[in-house]
Amino acid sequence: MTKNIYLLLLSLVLVSCGESSNTTPTGQTAEPQKVYKWRMVTTWPKNLPGLGTAPERMVDNIRTMSNGRLDIKVYGAGEIVPALEVFEAVSQGTVQMGHGASYYWKGKVPIAQFFTAVPFGLTAQEMNGWLLHGGGLELWRELYARYNLFPIPGGNTGVQMAGWFNKEINSLEDLRGLKMRIPGLGGEVFEAAGGTAVNLPGGEIFTSMQTGVIDATEWVGPYNDLAFGLHQVAKYYYYPGWQEAGPTLEVLVNKEAWDQLPDDLKAIVETASLAGNTDMLAEYTARNNMALQELVNEHQVELRRLPDDVLAELRSIAVEKTAAIVDDDELSKRIYDSWMQYRDDVIEYHEISERAYINARAN
Ligand code: CA
């Protein structure tokens, strides 16, 4: 009996010693070093250059910065859920995180498209300005809180290409009757111009073109399009990517999972995502031009610019379609107003900065 009491007292002393070893220099008792093992589903094929490798780099950084306390495993499209079910899977807590693009969810949340890209919208640099210093991210978080989600910008491809066609596009008439993979609002503009828009995840594009399920497709830009081999299934490669000038990719975190993280891990996730956001743009900027040379010089791809009158007609349809996303919900109106005001202001400023400089450099 005495021996048992002695052992009990000893164990209490040991427990309290154990606790005291967790005391921080400021004298506060630290949280136990809990390890979080999370899963991240993505809308991209596993390790696809740029879109797929960015989330892998992001979770590596999170693991290192957290000293292994937040360990996230990345899954490609279809490994746990299909590409276009990422939003639901994270919203419902099937997994803790996702990496995708908000315009994929336009059927469920139409106004979310403003947080990826709308046709003739913002460039990558302008998107980052609106989201991070122009009020956009606060609106995005307010919107996604309704779906039990916490979004963080997680990548940007820069200006995309208009896409791959097997015939020349000389007028709007040439788009009529074409079945094209083109997601988001760009797809609606394409439909209003007489085509049929299809929203296919990246991994299904090549086969769909090869088997004639679709006649034309846009994907990203030379770097990714070359990796998919799209030059093997289409002859003409058109620019500029009016439908996506600077699409932001999103990191999604399930709201309950997010709320359970201690503040230092929250800061690590947010910082790693934002680092991935700018790193992806740097990767595309460096790689796209190399890939374009290869497409044109080695694979004899016919590079074409969309005629000005075709772009002008698409633009006037886009203005109407963009305004039409706004519904009776007052938040959707606030998102639209914030975006439009910012767009008008930044266009004016970029006339005398970005555009003026690029023009000056060219001449
Ligand atoms: Ca695209």
Side-chain angles (χ1 to χ4, degrees):
M1 187 68 171
T2 314
K3 189 183 170 191
N4 283 346
I5 290 170
Y6 172 76
L7 282 174
L8 180 64
L9 285 172
L10 181 66
S11 66
L12 284 173
V13 167
L14 287 174
V15 164
S16 66
C17 283
E19 278 178 356
S20 70
S21 68
N22 272 344
T23 305
T24 64
T26 56
Q28 292 164 329
T29 304
E31 290 281 316
Q33 297 291 292
K34 179 174 173 180
V35 173
Y36 296 81
K37 284 203 178 283
W38 281 12
R39 298 190 296 173
M40 178 197 270
V41 290
T42 71
T43 55
W44 325 115
K46 182 85 175 159
N47 281 319
L48 180 82
L51 296 168
T53 49
E56 302 280 355
R57 273 205 296 272
M58 198 179 293
V59 304
D60 281 349
N61 285 332
I62 290 171
R63 198 177 296 112
T64 305
M65 287 194 279
S66 70
N67 198 21
R69 287 164 55 219
L70 181 50
D71 190 7
I72 305 163
K73 186 162 187 225
V74 177
Y75 294 85
E79 289 190 303
I80 295 180
V81 292
L84 301 182
E85 286 173 26
V86 164
F87 185 92
E88 282 299 323
V90 184
S91 172
Q92 289 168 7
T94 310
V95 293
Q96 294 84 1
M97 284 180 91
H99 192 269
S102 64
Y103 63 18
Y104 286 146
W105 332 123
K106 80 179 180 100
K108 189 180 178 68
V109 198
I111 201 74
Q113 294 170 93
F114 280 99
F115 301 108
T116 309
V118 296
F120 299 95
L122 304 176
T123 65
Q125 189 180 342
E126 292 164 351
M127 270 302 279
N128 284 332
W130 179 55
L131 290 173
L132 300 172
H133 294 276
L137 185 55
E138 288 79 4
L139 291 165
W140 194 1
R141 287 184 175 162
E142 189 179 341
L143 177 69
Y144 272 29
R146 294 176 174 176
Y147 304 93
N148 198 33
L149 292 167
F150 184 82
I152 311 167
N156 198 306
T157 66
V159 181
Q160 299 202 349
M161 292 290 283
W164 296 87
F165 297 82
N166 271 312
K167 63 185 234 186
E168 282 194 81
I169 307 301
N170 297 314
S171 70
L172 213 59
E173 191 61 35
D174 291 322
L175 297 178
R176 295 235 160 91
L178 281 187
K179 198 168 176 189
M180 179 170 180
R181 183 270 178 192
I182 172 169
L185 200 58
E188 287 180 39
V189 173
F190 182 73
E191 296 224 319
T196 302
V198 185
N199 184 14
L200 291 174
E204 295 173 26
I205 294 175
F206 182 87
T207 313
S208 301
M209 279 293 282
Q210 201 176 33
T211 56
V213 171
I214 51 175
D215 309 305
T217 185
E218 67 83 60
W219 172 223
V220 181
Y223 181 38
N224 283 146
D225 294 5
L226 174 67
F228 269 5
L230 296 179
H231 54 282
Q232 296 165 40
V233 287
K235 184 175 173 192
Y236 300 104
Y237 198 20
Y238 272 90
Y239 67 94
W242 57 273
Q243 77 287 10
E244 293 183 69
T248 295
L249 290 321
E250 62 184 9
V251 170
L252 297 172
V253 190
N254 174 273
K255 193 71 173 55
E256 277 120 39
W258 177 255
D259 290 343
Q260 282 167 16
L261 283 187
D263 286 348
D264 62 335
L265 292 185
K266 281 182 182 165
I268 285 171
V269 170
E270 200 153 5
T271 304
S273 300
L274 290 175
N277 188 51
T278 45
D279 185 57
M280 187 192 288
L281 182 62
E283 183 177 1
Y284 277 95
T285 304
R287 302 282 180 178
N288 270 334
N289 47 8
M290 300 177 199
L292 183 65
Q293 297 304 319
E294 191 177 331
L295 285 169
V296 172
N297 298 330
E298 289 177 33
H299 301 294
Q300 284 74 48
V301 163
E302 301 274 345
L303 197 59
R304 295 279 193 281
R305 185 181 188 278
L306 282 174
D308 284 337
D309 56 340
V310 170
L311 286 170
E313 286 174 273
L314 292 170
R315 189 165 58 240
S316 80
I317 300 171
V319 170
E320 253 175 64
K321 291 280 172 194
T322 305
I325 309 177
V326 183
D327 54 29
D328 294 339
D329 179 26
E330 63 83 32
L331 177 55
S332 92
K333 177 143 178 41
R334 273 193 287 132
I335 291 168
Y336 177 73
D337 289 346
S338 167
W339 186 89
M340 273 306 265
Q341 183 63 56
Y342 176 86
R343 178 185 181 276
D344 290 349
D345 293 347
V346 85
I347 283 176
E348 205 170 299
Y349 174 62
H350 274 173
E351 279 299 314
I352 61 146
S353 53
E354 298 298 312
R355 192 214 281 266
Y357 173 71
I358 287 172
N359 287 347
R361 186 175 58 183
N363 292 331

